[in-house]
Amino acid sequence: MQGLSGRRRIWLVGASSGIGEALARRLLEQGHRVALSARRREPLERLAAHYPGALVLPCDLTDPRSVHEAADTLGTHLGGLDVLLHVAGTCEYLDVRRFDPALVERVFAINFHGAVRVIDAALPLLRRAREQSGSRPLLAAVSSAAAYLPLPRAEAYGASKAALSHFLESLRIDLADEGIDISLVHPGFVATPLTERNDFAMPLRIDADAAARTILDGLERRRLDIHFPRRFTALVKLAGLLPPALRLRLGRRLVRRRHHTEAVS
């Protein structure tokens, strides 16, 4: 497994559990200077206790002031930012029989608007690093394979991740002349505290450490789209290219399969 070469200044947002925690451990073991952010301070401090070089910066992604205060502290301690790695996210599934727009707003507040707030706070630090060293800073964010294909009950989650992917692909174009690279991560199913709540089959699910290895390898290579496991994501990508009528048939089949599973369990 390849890591990010050199000793980088990295802001890892969403470092308290799952993929984010696995990434944090690997990056700190590689000797990078890593600022760890998440809403809760306690898991960040437990993680940082094993790695004296870690900087704990809790922040609330729904609060712009909290995000900018974390970025200001990072700038003071590290002087700039070589890599922003945004992993934070949430998932709630929509039951159309009890349509809940507040649920959609909650998911977007973290998965999309929260990411935009972090990017807003991080861009000046990435630009500063570019001026300092002339190297190409990297902005990377974890979206989801759900961004490729509309899925049952994923109106909020899938739409928030699709919005994030679209936003960052557009931003990639606009930042190219500034020498700031953007990598998007589209994982399939990963065993995390978030996916433990899923009530459906998760084919080809991998553990968080395997996901972290794949992500870091992709970042080292500056891949534009890091998606895994490839057998799963390739099928999801292909299904996303089907005509709308066929996508509808596929989605309804998935719904019927879930209902059958619930009935016999």
Side-chain angles (χ1 to χ4, degrees):
M1 192 278 298
Q2 297 183 34
L4 293 170
S5 58
R7 190 165 183 256
R8 304 296 184 88
R9 298 165 296 180
I10 300 171
W11 189 11
L12 177 54
V13 181
S16 60
S17 65
I19 297 174
E21 181 182 1
L23 284 167
R25 292 185 184 281
R26 287 191 166 270
L27 290 169
L28 287 162
E29 287 166 3
Q30 291 171 7
H32 297 290
R33 302 164 67 190
V34 185
L36 306 172
S37 288
R39 182 176 56 85
R40 295 176 297 140
R41 175 183 290 273
E42 292 77 11
L44 299 179
E45 289 183 337
R46 286 197 298 270
L47 178 59
H50 300 283
Y51 305 98
L55 176 63
V56 173
L57 295 177
C59 65
D60 181 353
L61 299 189
T62 66
D63 181 356
R65 181 175 178 179
S66 174
V67 173
H68 279 273
E69 286 176 350
D72 290 343
T73 303
L74 186 153
T76 299
H77 282 78
L78 301 184
L81 185 62
D82 301 304
V83 180
L84 168 65
L85 186 46
H86 184 89
V87 186
T90 189
C91 181
E92 294 186 64
Y93 295 110
L94 186 67
D95 182 348
V96 294
R97 296 167 297 183
R98 294 183 291 274
F99 194 87
D100 183 5
L103 180 154
V104 180
E105 292 172 4
R106 286 195 302 271
V107 173
F108 265 80
I110 298 296
N111 291 357
F112 181 69
H113 297 295
V116 171
R117 292 186 184 102
V118 170
I119 292 166
D120 174 46
L123 272 175
L125 298 171
L126 293 168
R127 289 177 170 131
R128 187 189 303 176
R130 174 71 171 159
E131 294 169 358
Q132 289 168 341
S133 65
S135 62
R136 298 183 69 89
L138 176 63
L139 191 166
V142 173
S143 179
S144 169
Y148 297 142
L149 175 70
L151 295 168
R153 298 191 296 162
E155 291 88 347
Y157 178 74
S160 69
K161 292 298 190 177
L164 178 62
S165 294
H166 185 104
F167 178 84
L168 285 171
E169 289 212 31
S170 294
L171 190 64
R172 179 188 287 150
I173 298 168
D174 289 327
L175 288 179
D177 287 343
E178 293 192 47
I180 297 175
D181 295 329
I182 293 183
S183 292
L184 265 165
V185 183
H186 293 96
F189 294 113
V190 179
T192 69
L194 199 61
T195 59
E196 284 178 1
R197 300 181 297 182
N198 288 348
D199 58 357
F200 51 84
M202 292 177 278
L204 299 177
R205 180 171 54 168
I206 64 174
D207 63 37
D209 195 57
R213 291 197 306 270
T214 303
I215 291 169
L216 292 179
D217 180 73
L219 295 182
E220 175 67 22
R221 300 166 188 269
R222 298 287 172 123
R223 293 192 184 278
L224 301 183
D225 182 13
I226 303 166
H227 61 94
F228 59 88
R230 284 186 169 266
R231 281 191 297 162
F232 176 78
T233 52
L235 287 173
V236 175
K237 277 189 166 188
L238 183 62
L241 297 176
L242 293 173
L246 292 180
R247 292 202 304 270
L248 174 60
R249 288 177 60 185
L250 174 62
R252 294 183 68 184
R253 184 175 180 180
L254 291 172
V255 170
R256 287 195 296 269
R257 182 181 299 171
R258 179 174 62 84
H259 286 169
H260 174 74
T261 301
E262 292 172 348
V264 299
S265 62

